[in-house]
C-alpha cells in the first residue's frame, strides 16, 4: 500500500532540507506541489527561494544542496533546477507502471489507510422535527455523507450524527397550538399526517409572532418540556416519531446512514454548561439573561455582542445545546475532529460557539472543530428555490422528479429493456445526478438547481461519469474480458494518452487527501471528471481490443483501473455505478 505521491514527496523533501541545512529546518515548509504546466514535469519543489534569505545563499545553490540530499530515484528522473531555484521532477515510467500494477491488484486501489486514525464526528443533515426537511438539509445530507465516506475510507473512525432539531421554542409553540385546536394530536399516535403537521406548525408560528399571550404560554410550555413535564413530553414524543419516519424515507432513498442524536439528548447537560461557564468567570448577566460577551463580534452600535446561554425565563437555546454537545463529543465520544455541515447562514453561530468553548478551555489542542458551510439552492430563475406557489419544495417530490425524468430518458433510449432494468437505471441516474450536481459545486457558493443540467449526458454531470464507467464494462463484454485475471505486471506505457491517463490515475490518492483536509468534495468530482475526459481521449487515440496482444493486455488494464477508480470515487460521493445503462 502507498500513500499519495505528493505526501510521500513532502516527507522526502523535508528530510532533504533538514539533511542539507540542519535539524532546525525540519519543519520548514517543503513547498511541494503538482506542476501547473506539464512541460516543467509532474511535481515541483519551491522551497529554495524561501530559504535564500535565512541561508544567505543564491536560490540555485540552495536548490542544488536540497537535490544533493534528496532520495527520489525510485520514483523520478534526475531532478532539474529551473529559474529562481525551482526543482522540477518528472515521474519515471517504470514507477508509474509498477504503481498501476499495485492499484490493479488492490481492492482499494493501493491507497493505504492512515496510520493514526482520528475519531471524527460528522454532524450533518439535522432537520427539524415537525417541519419538513428542505433543500438546505438535502445539501447537508449529501455533503456530510460524502465527507463521512471519504474519512471512513481513509480508515478514520467516523460517528455520523444527526443533530435533529427536536427541542426548543418550536415545540412550545406547536404544543400550545395543538392544545387549542387539536388536542388529540398530543395524545394519540398519527392523529395527523406530517403534511398537516407542517401546516399546523405554520399556523402556530403565525400565532406566536402575532399574539403576545400565545407567545408567553408557548415559552412556558418549552420550559415545562425542558424541565421534563410529562404531558408535554408525551406530545413531543409523538411528534418526533412521526417526523422521524418521514426523514427516514429520504435517508433510505438516498442510502444515507446516520445516527440520530437530537438536541434533546443534551438537555440533561444544559445546566452544567451554565454552571461551568460561571466557574470560568466568562458568564455575565445582561438584562436578566445569562451570556458570554464575544470577542470580535459587535452589534450595530459597536457594542460587543453577547452569546446568550440562558434566557430570562430560564430556557436554554440553540447555542447552549451546541456548547453541551461539543463538550459531550469531546469528553464522552472522545472525538478529535468535529465537523459541522450546515448552510453558510450559521457560520456566525459556530464561530461564536467555538470561541466560547475555546475561551472556557473546553477544546483541547488536540481537537479540531470545523464548520463546513454551504450556499443556498437557487431555482433556474436565480431566486431562492421555491415552487410556483411560493412554497418551499418538498424533498420527496424533488427526488421523485429526478427519477421520473431519468426514467423518461431511458424509455426513449432503450424502450425494449425490462421494467426492472429501466427503474434501476432511472434511480441510479436520477439520484446520482442530484447528488453529483450538489457535490460538484464549490459548496460555499449558491448553486442553481436545474434538472436539465444535472441530467445532461455531456459535461461535469453524473450521467457523463456513469457512462464512462459503463463504456469500460462494455469493452469488457465485447472482448469477453475477465478483468480480474489480467496480468497487471504487463502494463507498459508507450503512447502519450496512456501516460497522461496513468499519471492522472496515480493522483487519485491526492484528490482524496485534499478532500479529507479541506472538506471540499468538488475537488473529487473535478478529479473524476478529468479522469473521464482523459480516459475518453486515450480510448479515442489508442486501440484497445484491436491492439496486438501485449499492448491489448496493458491497455485493458488501464481501462480496468480507470473503471475501478470511477467506481470507488463515485462511491465516495454516495453514487452507485451501473454495469449497463
Ligand atoms: N437543525 C439545524 C437546522 O435545521 C441544524 C443543526 C446543525 N448542527 C448543529 N450542531 N447545530 O438549521
Amino acid at each position: 500500500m502507498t500513500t499519495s505521491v505528493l505526501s510521500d514527496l513532502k516527507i522526502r523533501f523535508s528530510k532533504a532540507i533538514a539533511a542539507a541545512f540542519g535539524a532546525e529546518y525540519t519543519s520548514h515548509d517543503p513547498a511541494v506541489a503538482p506542476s501547473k504546466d506539464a512541460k516543467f514535469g509532474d511535481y515541483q519543489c519551491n522551497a529554495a527561494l524561501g530559504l535564500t534569505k535565512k541561508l544567505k545563499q543564491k536560490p540555485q545553490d540552495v536548490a542544488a544542496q536540497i537535490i544533493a540530499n534528496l532520495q527520489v530515484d525510485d520514483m523520478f528522473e534526475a531532478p532539474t533546477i529551473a529559474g529562481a531555484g525551482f526543482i522540477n521532477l518528472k515521474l519515471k515510467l517504470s514507477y508509474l507502471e509498477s504503481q498501476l500494477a499495485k492499484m490493479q491488484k488492490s481492492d482499494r486501489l493501493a491507497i493505504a489507510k492512515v496510520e493514526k486514525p482520528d475519531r471524527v464526528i460528522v454532524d450533518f443533515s439535522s432537520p427539524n422535527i415537525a417541519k419538513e426537511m428542505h433543500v438546505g438539509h438535502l445539501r447537508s445530507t449529501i455533503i456530510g455523507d460524502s465527507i463521512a465516506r471519504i474519512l471512513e475510507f481513509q480508515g478514520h473512525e467516523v460517528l455520523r450524527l444527526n443533530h435533529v432539531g427536536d427541542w426548543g421554542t418550536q415545540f412550545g409553540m406547536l404544543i400550545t397550538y395543538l392544545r387549542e385546536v387539536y388536542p388529540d394530536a398530543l395524545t394519540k399516535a398519527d392523529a395527523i399526517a406530517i403534511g398537516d403537521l407542517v401546516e399546523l406548525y405554520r399556523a402556530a408560528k403565525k400565532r406566536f409572532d402575532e399574539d403576545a399571550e400565545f407567545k408567553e404560554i408557548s415559552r412556558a410550555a418549552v420550559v415545562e418540556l425542558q424541565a421534563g413535564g410529562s404531558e408535554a413530553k408525551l406530545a413531543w414524543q409523538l411528534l418526533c416519531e412521526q417526523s422521524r419516519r418521514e426523514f427516514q424515507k429520504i435517508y433510505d432513498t438516498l442510502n444515507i446512514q446516520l445516527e440520530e442524536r437530537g438536541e434533546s439528548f443534551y438537555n440533561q447537560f444544559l445546566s452544567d454548561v451554565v454552571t461551568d461557564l460561571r466557574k470560568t468567570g466568562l458568564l455575565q448577566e445582561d438584562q436578566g439573561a445569562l451570556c458570554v460577551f464575544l470577542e470580535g463580534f459587535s452589534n450595530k452600535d459597536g457594542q460587543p455582542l453577547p452569546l446568550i446561554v440562558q434566557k430570562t425565563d430560564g430556557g436554554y437555546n440553540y447555542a447552549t445545546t451546541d456548547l453541551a454537545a461539543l463538550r459531550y463529543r469531546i469528553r464522552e465520544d472522545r472525538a478529535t475532529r468535529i465537523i459541522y455541515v450546515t448552510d453558510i447562514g450559521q457560520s456566525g453561530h459556530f464561530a461564536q460557539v467555538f470561541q466560547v468553548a475555546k475561551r472556557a478551555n473546553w477544546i483541547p489542542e488536540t481537537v479540531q472543530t470545523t464548520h463546513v458551510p454551504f450556499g443556498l439552492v437557487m431555482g433556474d430563475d436565480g431566486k431562492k428555490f421555491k415552487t410556483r406557489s411560493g412554497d418551499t419544495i418538498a424533498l420527496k417530490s424533488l427526488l421523485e422528479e429526478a427519477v421520473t425524468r431519468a426514467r423518461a430518458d431511458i424509455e426513449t433510449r432503450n424502450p425494449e429493456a425490462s421494467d426492472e432494468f429501466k427503474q434501476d437505471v432511472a434511480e441510479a441516474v436520477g439520484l446520482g445526478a442530484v447528488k453529483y450536481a450538489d457535490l460538484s459545486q464549490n459548496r460555499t457558493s449558491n448553486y442553481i438547481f436545474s434538472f436539465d443540467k444535472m441530467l445532461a449526458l455531456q459535461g461535469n454531470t453524473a450521467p457523463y461519469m456513469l457512462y464512462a464507467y459503463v463504456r469500460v464494462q462494455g469493452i469488457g463484454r465485447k472482448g469477453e474480458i475477465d478483468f480480474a485475471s489480467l496480468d497487471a505486471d504487463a502494463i507498459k506505457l508507450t503512447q502519450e494518452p496512456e501516460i497522461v491517463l496513468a499519471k492522472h490515475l496515480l493522483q487519485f490518492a491526492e484528490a482524496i487527501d485534499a478532500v479529507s483536509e479541506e472538506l471540499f468534495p468538488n475537488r473529487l468530482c473535478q478529479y473524476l471528471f478529468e479522469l473521464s475526459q482523459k480516459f475518453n481521449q486515450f480510448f479515442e487515440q489508442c486501440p484497445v481490443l484491436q491492439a496486438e496482444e501485449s499492448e491489448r493486455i496493458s491497455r485493458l488494464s488501464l481501462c480496468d483501473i480507470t473503471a475501478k477508480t470511477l467506481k470507488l470515487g463515485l462511491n465516495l460521493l454516495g453514487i452507485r455505478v451501473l454495469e449497463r445503462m
Side-chain angles (χ1 to χ4, degrees), residues 123 126-128 137 163 165 318 322 340 342 346 350:
D123 173 324
S126 309
N128 302 312
H137 297 122
H163 192 82
Y318 189 49
D322 260 321
Y340 300 80
T342 81
Q346 299 196 33
F350 285 106

Side-chain angles (χ1 to χ4, degrees), residues 17 21 25 28-29 46-57 62 66:
I17 291 170
F21 310 116
Y25 290 91
H28 188 87
D29 178 10
N46 303 337
L49 200 60
L51 286 162
T52 49
K53 223 172 150 192
K54 252 194 178 163
L55 294 165
K56 299 195 177 64
Q57 295 180 30
V62 176
I66 296 175

Side-chain angles (χ1 to χ4, degrees), residues 151-304:
L151 295 169
E152 282 154 0
F153 174 72
Q154 287 189 311
H156 297 292
E157 269 178 75
V158 180
L159 194 55
R160 299 154 157 260
L161 288 186
N162 200 0
H163 192 82
V164 171
D166 61 358
W167 214 231
T169 324
Q170 81 238 47
F171 290 97
M173 226 147 60
L174 191 60
I175 289 172
T176 308
Y177 191 67
L178 289 175
R179 272 178 186 153
E180 249 178 60
V181 302
Y182 201 5
D184 267 3
L186 299 171
T187 52
K188 297 200 187 81
D190 300 316
I192 24 176
I194 181 80
D196 298 337
L197 195 57
V198 171
E199 276 312 313
L200 288 163
Y201 175 78
R202 257 182 227 151
K205 172 92 173 87
K206 197 157 175 268
R207 276 290 293 282
F208 185 84
D209 292 337
E210 289 167 358
D211 179 343
E213 196 190 330
F214 183 88
K215 203 171 193 162
E216 264 324 295
I217 305 172
S218 300
R219 288 236 164 96
V222 185
V223 180
E224 181 195 335
L225 179 64
Q226 293 186 340
S230 61
E231 198 215 25
K233 192 120 193 190
L234 178 67
W236 168 77
Q237 268 161 358
L238 291 175
L239 298 174
C240 288
E241 218 16 79
Q242 209 167 3
S243 292
R244 194 170 290 136
R245 278 203 304 272
E246 283 314 298
F247 299 158
Q248 194 55 43
K249 287 184 197 157
I250 305 275
Y251 298 140
D252 289 344
T253 307
L254 294 173
N255 187 20
I256 305 287
Q257 303 295 324
L258 261 168
E259 192 176 310
E260 182 179 327
R261 206 200 268 167
E263 294 179 8
S264 62
F265 176 88
Y266 304 99
N267 185 42
Q268 50 182 317
F269 308 113
L270 296 174
S271 60
D272 293 349
V273 168
V274 176
T275 316
D276 290 356
L277 272 180
R278 185 170 281 125
K279 283 185 201 149
T280 62
L282 294 170
L283 200 68
Q284 294 189 35
E285 205 179 307
D286 187 35
Q287 297 163 42
L290 298 175
C291 65
V292 176
F293 282 98
L294 296 156
E295 289 165 359
F297 292 89
S298 47
N299 65 15
K300 287 191 278 319
D301 311 321
Q303 301 298 318

Side-chain angles (χ1 to χ4, degrees), residues 132 134 199 202 384-394:
E132 228 153 345
H134 57 67
E199 276 312 313
R202 257 182 227 151
K384 210 172 158 176
F385 203 43
K386 293 254 161 89
T387 58
R388 252 172 246 266
S389 65
D391 288 343
T392 51
I393 289 171

Side-chain angles (χ1 to χ4, degrees), residues 378-384 448:
M378 317 292 268
D380 269 339
D381 54 3
K383 296 206 186 99
K384 210 172 158 176
I448 296 177

Side-chain angles (χ1 to χ4, degrees), residues 423-574:
Q423 196 51 27
D424 186 54
V425 171
E427 278 168 22
V429 172
L431 301 172
V434 172
K435 289 187 178 183
Y436 194 86
D438 195 318
L439 293 166
S440 57
Q441 308 289 323
N442 178 321
R443 58 171 164 74
T444 55
S445 28
N446 296 346
Y447 99 94
I448 296 177
F449 192 98
S450 157
F451 282 120
D452 289 337
K453 278 212 188 91
M454 67 178 72
L455 287 163
L457 293 178
Q458 288 304 325
N460 191 8
T461 64
Y464 178 76
M465 232 65 71
L466 292 174
Y467 262 109
Y469 180 83
V470 165
R471 180 176 239 187
V472 180
Q473 303 314 310
I475 299 167
R477 282 192 294 270
K478 192 167 166 207
E480 293 177 357
I481 309 299
D482 173 19
F483 283 115
S485 63
L486 289 174
D487 177 9
D489 296 310
I491 298 175
K492 268 249 138 300
L493 305 168
T494 57
Q495 305 303 305
E496 197 52 29
E498 294 175 318
I499 298 170
V500 170
L501 175 61
K503 285 181 177 170
H504 195 75
L505 285 167
L506 210 63
Q507 286 165 12
F508 185 50
E510 276 162 36
I512 290 176
D513 282 353
V515 180
S516 113
E517 280 160 32
E518 295 153 20
L519 307 174
F520 280 92
N522 61 315
R523 171 77 168 73
L524 179 56
C525 296
Q526 188 60 32
Y527 170 85
L528 293 172
F529 181 48
E530 284 170 23
L531 176 62
S532 308
Q533 290 175 314
K534 285 174 179 168
F535 174 76
N536 287 341
Q537 273 152 20
F538 151 80
F539 192 66
E540 272 160 30
Q541 291 169 44
C542 304
V544 177
L545 291 173
Q546 268 70 42
E548 56 86 16
E549 188 59 10
S550 67
E551 227 168 32
R552 195 174 84 103
I553 304 224
S554 172
R555 289 179 182 168
L556 281 168
S557 286
L558 282 176
C559 291
D560 188 33
I561 302 168
T562 302
K564 283 181 172 157
T565 307
L566 285 170
K567 181 175 181 173
L568 177 57
L570 288 169
N571 181 278
L572 295 177
L573 299 171

